[in-house]
Amino acid sequence: MDLGVLKIKSELSGKKWDAAMKGLAKHGLTKVSVDGENKIVELLG
């Protein structure tokens, strides 16, 4: 999913968004990749 869309749909503040994304990445649940100008969040198994 596009990172920008996910951030809007989550309705989290900037601080809570950062904490959530760092926590998910720390546990190996998500990966953010860049495809040209787009940033995409991938869910990992």
Side-chain angles (χ1 to χ4, degrees):
M1 175 178 260
D2 181 79
L3 183 70
V5 173
L6 181 61
K7 187 172 182 179
I8 290 168
K9 287 188 176 205
S10 74
E11 297 183 359
L12 295 173
S13 68
K15 190 173 184 178
K16 287 184 180 183
W17 169 260
D18 289 343
M21 290 301 292
K22 286 178 186 175
L24 291 170
K26 180 180 176 183
H27 293 289
L29 299 173
T30 60
K31 177 184 172 188
V32 176
S33 58
V34 178
D35 181 22
E37 294 184 15
N38 299 318
K39 290 183 182 177
I40 298 174
V41 177
E42 299 176 55
L43 292 176
L44 305 176

